[in-house]
Amino acid sequence: MFKSEPEEVQDKDKLHELYWNRAELKKEFAALRNEKYALQDRINEQKGATARVEQKLQHIESLLLDREWVYNVAVFYQLKRLNAHCHAKLGRFAEQLKQQREARVQNKVMDTWNQQRNAQASAIEKKIGEVRLQTQLLEDQLQSERHRLLTMNGFVRLFRGRSAAARIEEIAAGIESGQAAEQELLGELEQNQNRTPPDHAGLDIATKRSINFMILSFLQQLYLFFADDNLAELAREASEKSVGAVNYGSKYDCDEILERLDKRWAALEKVVDSAEILKKRAQLLANNAEFRDADDAVPVAVSLATVYAIDDNGVIREKDVNVLRDNYFGVAQVLSR
C-alpha cells in the first residue's frame, strides 16, 4: 500500500525531465535551422557578388578586345587613379589638421589641469609647513616643560608637579595630533601627484568647422590645379561611372588626355598654395557658409558654390563651381563631423 506513492513521484519527475529535454532540443533545433538559413543567405549573397565581379571582368575584357574602346579603358582607369590619388592627399591633409588641432586642445586641457593640480599641491604644502612649524613649537615647549619639571625642588614639585605633568601630557598629545595631521596631508599630496590626467574630450563644433574650411580650401586648390585641362571634372566623372560608360573619343583624343595627365601628374607635388592663401580661402568660405543646425560641422553645400583662385599678390578670382556638392575627389569622406 505504502510503496506506490514514491514510484508515482519518480515517474512524474522522469516525465518532467523528458518534457524539458524535449523543449531544449526544440530550441537547439530552431537555432540550428536559423543558422542554416543565415548561412544560405550569405552563400547566395556571395554568389551574387561573384557573379557581378565576373560580369564586370567580362565587360572589361570585351572593351579591351575592342580596338575602338581599348584606349578609352586606359584613360578611364588613369582618371580613376588621379581621383584616388587626390582623395588620398585630401585624407592625409585632413588627418594632419585633425591631429594638430587635437594636440593643441589636449595641450590646453593638460596645461589647465596641471595648473590646478600645482595650485592644489602648493596649498597642501603650505598647510604641511604650517603644521610642521606648529609641531616644532610644541616640541620646543615640551622640552622646556620637561626641563622645568626636572629642575623643580621637592617643595615646588609637591604643589606644581601634577599640573606640570598634565601640561606635558597635553603638549605631547598636541604633537601627536600634529604629526597625524602631517601624515594625512602628505597622503593628500601623494594622491594629488598621482591623479590621472583627464581624458581627451574631442574637438568642439567650432574647431571641426575650422578644420572643414581648411579641407575645402585645400580641395579648391586641387580643383584649380586640374581645372584648366578639365581633368578634375573628368576624374570626378570616372569615379562616379563604370568603365565603358564614358567615351573619351578617338585614339588621338585619348592620347591627348593621357599626355595632359602626365604633365599635370609630374607637377602635382611641386605646386602647393602657401599656408596664407589656404587660410585666406578658408576665411572666405567661412564668411559665406551656412549650416542647417547649430551642431552641424559640415556647411550646407549650396552656400559654398564659389571657388576662389588667389594669386601670390592676393588678387581673388571667383568661379561658379560647387566642389562640396559635387563631392570632388571624395571630400565628403574626409570632412570632420
Side-chain angles (χ1 to χ4, degrees):
M1 292 178 60
F2 301 100
K3 293 182 180 180
S4 60
E5 290 185 5
E7 291 178 358
E8 290 178 1
V9 172
Q10 188 175 6
D11 290 341
K12 288 181 179 180
D13 290 341
K14 287 183 178 180
L15 286 173
H16 281 297
E17 185 177 356
L18 288 172
Y19 173 79
W20 288 114
N21 288 340
R22 183 169 177 269
E24 291 297 323
L25 286 173
K26 282 186 175 181
K27 289 181 182 179
E28 292 181 8
F29 177 74
L32 289 172
R33 183 175 55 191
N34 292 336
E35 184 179 0
K36 172 189 172 185
Y37 292 151
L39 290 173
Q40 286 177 341
D41 291 339
R42 289 179 60 184
I43 291 172
N44 292 333
E45 290 176 2
Q46 189 59 43
K47 285 181 178 179
T50 302
R52 287 191 294 271
V53 171
E54 290 177 349
Q55 184 179 8
K56 186 176 180 179
L57 289 174
Q58 290 174 0
H59 177 58
I60 295 174
E61 183 178 358
S62 65
L63 291 175
L64 292 174
L65 291 173
D66 190 330
R67 295 181 60 182
E68 294 182 0
W69 274 99
V70 63
Y71 305 106
N72 282 270
V73 174
V75 171
F76 177 85
Y77 281 105
Q78 286 301 309
L79 289 170
K80 283 185 71 72
R81 175 189 176 220
L82 172 63
N83 187 80
H85 182 75
C86 291
H87 176 73
K89 284 179 70 69
L90 270 177
R92 289 191 298 269
F93 181 80
E95 186 60 29
Q96 184 179 5
L97 271 179
K98 292 172 187 176
Q99 289 178 0
Q100 288 176 352
R101 300 297 175 86
E102 286 176 353
R104 192 181 303 170
V105 170
Q106 184 66 6
N107 288 337
K108 186 177 180 180
V109 170
M110 287 300 299
D111 287 343
T112 303
W113 180 77
N114 282 323
Q115 289 174 5
Q116 293 175 348
R117 186 179 65 164
N118 292 336
Q120 292 173 355
S122 297
I124 295 173
E125 289 172 351
K126 182 179 179 181
K127 289 181 181 179
I128 291 174
E130 293 173 352
V131 170
R132 283 177 177 172
L133 178 61
Q134 184 65 29
T135 302
Q136 183 64 48
L137 292 174
L138 288 175
E139 288 176 348
D140 294 342
Q141 188 177 357
L142 178 63
Q143 186 177 0
S144 176
E145 290 293 333
R146 283 175 175 172
H147 177 73
R148 190 167 68 86
L149 179 62
L150 289 174
T151 57
M152 285 181 181
N153 58 34
F155 184 77
V156 176
R157 184 188 292 268
L158 178 64
F159 288 98
R160 299 182 181 177
R162 184 175 296 177
S163 62
R167 177 62 178 162
I168 290 172
E169 290 181 0
E170 181 182 350
I171 296 172
I175 292 173
E176 290 181 1
S177 176
Q179 291 173 341
E182 181 181 345
Q183 290 301 316
E184 184 177 353
L185 288 170
L186 287 172
E188 291 181 11
L189 184 61
E190 183 178 2
Q191 290 179 358
N192 180 72
Q193 296 299 323
N194 295 332
R195 283 171 56 189
T196 303
D199 293 332
H200 180 47
L203 301 175
D204 57 21
I205 294 299
T207 304
K208 289 180 179 179
R209 289 180 177 181
S210 175
I211 290 173
N212 286 338
F213 291 136
M214 285 296 291
I215 293 172
L216 291 170
S217 176
F218 185 64
L219 170 63
Q220 289 196 1
Q221 170 190 312
L222 289 175
Y223 170 83
L224 289 168
F225 182 71
F226 292 105
D228 291 341
D229 295 328
N230 199 35
L231 294 176
E233 175 61 28
L234 291 175
R236 184 183 71 85
E237 186 181 42
S239 70
E240 296 177 348
K241 296 183 179 180
S242 61
V243 60
V246 186
N247 190 336
Y248 301 103
S250 64
K251 177 181 182 301
Y252 174 82
D253 297 327
C254 292
D255 288 341
E256 187 181 12
I257 294 174
L258 292 175
E259 185 178 353
R260 298 203 312 263
L261 268 172
D262 289 340
K263 289 180 180 179
R264 284 295 177 179
W265 196 275
L268 177 59
E269 303 304 325
K270 300 178 183 178
V271 180
V272 179
D273 279 351
S274 65
E276 289 75 16
I277 291 179
L278 283 174
K279 290 179 181 178
K280 186 173 183 179
R281 186 186 292 119
Q283 187 59 53
L284 290 170
L285 292 169
N287 293 340
N288 293 281
E290 297 177 1
F291 298 87
R292 287 192 178 87
D293 200 357
D295 295 331
D296 286 344
V298 179
V300 178
V302 71
S303 65
L304 300 180
T306 303
V307 170
Y308 301 97
I310 307 173
D311 62 21
D312 295 335
N313 297 322
V315 178
I316 302 173
R317 292 181 293 107
E318 297 182 1
K319 189 174 183 179
D320 293 333
V321 179
N322 197 322
V323 293
L324 177 58
R325 181 198 61 197
D326 296 334
N327 195 28
Y328 275 88
F329 305 131
V331 66
Q333 299 176 17
V334 302
L335 292 174
S336 295
R337 300 184 183 276

